[in-house]
C-alpha cells in the first residue's frame, strides 16, 4: 500500500477525521492542498507555503507536461527534488485542464487531443498521463477522466462517464505495469445527474484504487446540486479509503463537503481572493483595500497564527495593496491559505471531540459568503 488511510472518527452526518499515510509522512484529514500549478505557487514562495502548515500540495500534469516536461523530472529524480519540496505532492491527470481549455480539443476513446500552453498539439491517453505522472514522481496520481459542463444533457454526460470508466481501468493497468510506489486515485463523474453519479460511484469504487475523487463539480452547477452530488458519491464510496473533492471551493463549500464525508480538497480560491484584496476570516470576508483599513494597527484576523498576522499590521498590508506592491497580495495569500488549513484543523478537532454539529452550525453562519460570482467557477 503506497497510501493508506486510518479513519479515526465519523459523525452521524458522515464528517470524518482521519490520517492519510503517504510515503512522505502522515497527514491529518480533512486536509486542504494549496495549488502549485507549475511546480510553483502564485504570489507566495515555497517557504511561505511551508509556513502555512501545508503537508501536501497539488500540481497540474497538463502544465508540467509542457514545462519543464517529463524529461527534466526524470533527470532530477522527481518533483520533490526539482522544486525543493519534501512534503507530499498530488498531481491531477490533466483531465480538468483539457476540459477547461479555450479553443480546440477533441476526445476519442483513445485519448484527448489538445494544445499545450506553448501551442504544441498533444495527445494525452490514460497510459501517457500515468507515464507523465510517474516521471513527475508525485505521491498521489489521478486517473485521466472526461469532465463535462454541468449543463450537459444526460446522453452526453453518460458518454463522458463511460469513457472515464474505461480510462480508469486502462490507468490501473498502466500503473501496474510500472509500479513506482505511487498511489493512484480514481475519479467519479456523472455531472449533476443523480442516477449517473450513483452508477459512476459504484463502478469506480469497485476498482482497486488507493483513493477516490469526486470530479466534475465546481463547473457551473448550483450549490444545492454540488452538495447533493457530493453526498450521493460519499454514501457509495468505501469508508476505508480517502475521498477527494476536486477544485472545490469557498469556505462554506468546504464546510458542507466535510459534513458529507470528504477528506481532501484543493482550490485556487484562497489565492484568487488575495488578488482581489480580500482576506478570509472566521467572521466573513475582510476587504483590505477599504479606506477604513488605512489606520488598522491590528492583524488581518486577531488570533490568527499565520506569518502575515504575526508580522504585519492590516494598515500596512492595505498600504502595499494601494501602492500596487506585490507583497500586499503575498501577505493576503499566505493568510488565506493558512486560514483554509486552520478551518480544516478546527473541523477535525470538532469531529474528534464530538462537537462537529455545533461547530458546523456556528461556521455556517460566520464563514465568508460574499464572494463574487466569477470567482466561484
Ligand atoms: Zn492570518
Amino acid at each position: 500500500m503506497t497510501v493508506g488511510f486510518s479513519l479515526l472518527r465519523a459523525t452521524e452526518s458522515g464528517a470524518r477525521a482521519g490520517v492519510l499515510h503517504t510515503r512522505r509522512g502522515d497527514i491529518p484529514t480533512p486536509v486542504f492542498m494549496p495549488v502549485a500549478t507549475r511546480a510553483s505557487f502564485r504570489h507566495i514562495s515555497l517557504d511561505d507555503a511551508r509556513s502555512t502548515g501545508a503537508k501536501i500540495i497539488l500540481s497540474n500534469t497538463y502544465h508540467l507536461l509542457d514545462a519543464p516536461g517529463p524529461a527534466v523530472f526524470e533527470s532530477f529524480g522527481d518533483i520533490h527534488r526539482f522544486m525543493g519540496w519534501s512534503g507530499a505532492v498530488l498531481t491531477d491527470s490533466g483531465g480538468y485542464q483539457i476540459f477547461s481549455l479555450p479553443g480546440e480539443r477533441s476526445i476519442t476513446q483513445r485519448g484527448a487531443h489538445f494544445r499545450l500552453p506553448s501551442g504544441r498539439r498533444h495527445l494525452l491517453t490514460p497510459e501517457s498521463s500515468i507515464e507523465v505522472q510517474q516521471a513527475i514522481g508525485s505521491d498521489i496520481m489521478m486517473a485521466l477522466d472526461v469532465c463535462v459542463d454541468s449543463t450537459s444533457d444526460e446522453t452526453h454526460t453518460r458518454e463522458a462517464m463511460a469513457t472515464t470508466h474505461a480510462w480508469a481501468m486502462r490507468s490501473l493497468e498502466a500503473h501496474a505495469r510500472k509500479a513506482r510506489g505511487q498511489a493512484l486515485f480514481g475519479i467519479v463523474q456523472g455531472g449533476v445527474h443523480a442516477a449517473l453519479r450513483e452508477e459512476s460511484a459504484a463502478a469506480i469504487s469497485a476498482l482497486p484504487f488507493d483513493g477516490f475523487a469526486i470530479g466534475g463539480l465546481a463547473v457551473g452547477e448550483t450549490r444545492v446540486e454540488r452538495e447533493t452530488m457530493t453526498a450521493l458519491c460519499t454514501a457509495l464510496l468505501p469508508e476505508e479509503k480517502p475521498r477527494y473533492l476536486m477544485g472545490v471551493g469557498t469556505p462554506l463549500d468546504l464546510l458542507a463537503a466535510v459534513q458529507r464525508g470528504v477528506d481532501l480538497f484543493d482550490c485556487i480560491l484562497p489565492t484568487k481572493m488575495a488578488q482581489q484584496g480580500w482576506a478570509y476570516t472566521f467572521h466573513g470576508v475582510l476587504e483590505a483595500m477599504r479606506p477604513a483599513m488605512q489606520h488598522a494597527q491590528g492583524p488581518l484576523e486577531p488570533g490568527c497564527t499565520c506569518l502575515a498576522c504575526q508580522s504585519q499590521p492590516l494598515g500596512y498590508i492595505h498600504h502595499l495593496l494601494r501602492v500596487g506592491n506585490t507583497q500586499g497580495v503575498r501577505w493576503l495569500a499566505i493568510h488565506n491559505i493558512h486560514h483554509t488549513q486552520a478551518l480544516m484543523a478546527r473541523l477535525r478537532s470538532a469531529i474528534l471531540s464530538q462537537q462537529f454539529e455545533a461547530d458546523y452550525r456556528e461556521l455556517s453562519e460566520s464563514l465568508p459568503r460574499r464572494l463574487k460570482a466569477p470567482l466561484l467557477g
Side-chain angles (χ1 to χ4, degrees), residues 130-366:
I130 293 290
E131 278 167 26
V132 175
Q133 294 181 75
Q134 284 171 334
I136 294 168
S138 53
D139 304 286
I140 302 175
M141 307 186 290
M142 302 301 301
L144 188 64
D145 60 331
V146 183
C147 194
V148 293
D149 203 274
S150 63
T151 53
S152 296
D153 64 25
E154 192 164 343
T155 307
H156 181 54
T157 308
R158 176 177 286 285
E159 254 176 45
M161 180 191 79
T163 306
T164 296
H165 294 175
W167 288 5
M169 285 185 272
R170 283 167 55 188
S171 302
L172 280 165
E173 284 160 18
H175 179 42
R177 277 198 294 276
K178 202 167 145 191
R180 291 188 176 190
Q182 297 163 282
L184 177 60
F185 283 18
I187 304 178
V188 175
Q189 286 289 347
V192 292
H193 304 276
L196 296 185
R197 276 283 165 190
E198 288 179 344
E199 190 179 330
S200 188
I204 295 293
S205 63
L207 298 172
F209 285 110
D210 300 297
F212 298 96
I214 302 166
L217 293 178
V219 291
E221 74 284 351
T222 65
R223 182 180 59 82
V224 172
E225 284 172 331
R226 180 157 59 250
E227 292 175 2
T228 306
M229 294 304 127
T230 301
L232 279 177
C233 292
T234 52
L236 290 168
L237 292 174
E239 254 192 15
E240 70 281 8
K241 298 223 171 139
R243 294 104 172 247
Y244 162 33
L245 180 56
M246 305 180 80
V248 173
T250 67
L252 276 178
D253 287 334
L254 299 182
L255 175 69
V258 166
Q259 194 210 21
R260 288 159 179 77
V262 175
D263 309 305
L264 281 88
F265 301 90
D266 78 283
C267 193
I268 55 169
L269 263 185
T271 309
K272 284 264 183 197
M273 294 287 290
Q275 286 173 309
Q276 301 281 324
W278 291 355
Y280 285 157
T281 80
F282 281 103
H283 299 93
V285 165
L286 183 147
E287 294 178 53
M289 291 279 271
R290 277 179 44 214
M293 306 299 169
Q294 196 175 2
H295 299 283
Q297 294 180 29
L300 285 166
E301 182 166 32
C304 177
T305 57
C306 87
L307 197 58
C309 291
Q310 293 298 303
S311 60
Q312 308 295 333
L314 169 52
Y316 182 60
I317 295 173
H318 167 89
H319 165 71
L320 293 172
L321 293 166
R322 288 301 293 260
V323 299
N325 186 305
T326 54
Q327 293 293 303
V329 176
R330 171 185 166 231
W331 290 123
L332 288 180
I334 291 171
H335 170 81
N336 285 349
I337 292 171
H338 181 277
H339 172 88
T340 310
Q341 293 181 135
L343 172 63
M344 292 293 131
R346 172 169 165 174
L347 294 176
R348 184 175 199 271
S349 155
I351 294 165
L352 290 173
S353 60
Q354 305 192 46
Q355 302 292 315
F356 179 77
E357 295 308 328
D359 208 29
Y360 176 83
R361 280 193 298 275
E362 190 186 323
L363 287 167
S364 298
E365 295 301 317
S366 68

Side-chain angles (χ1 to χ4, degrees), residues 32-91:
F32 175 77
M33 301 181 282
V35 180
T37 297
R38 298 169 185 271
S40 63
F41 299 95
R42 293 208 67 189
H43 306 295
I44 66 168
S45 71
L46 204 60
D47 279 342
D48 291 341
R50 282 192 197 101
S51 81
T52 69
K55 288 186 159 52
I56 179 166
I57 61 173
L58 176 140
S59 202
N60 296 107
T61 294
Y62 166 77
H63 292 98
L64 299 180
L65 174 62
D66 198 39
V72 170
F73 290 110
E74 293 275 15
S75 75
F76 274 81
D78 57 34
I79 189 170
H80 306 84
R81 276 181 218 145
F82 179 62
M83 67 183 284
W85 175 259
S86 58
V89 176
L90 179 148
T91 40

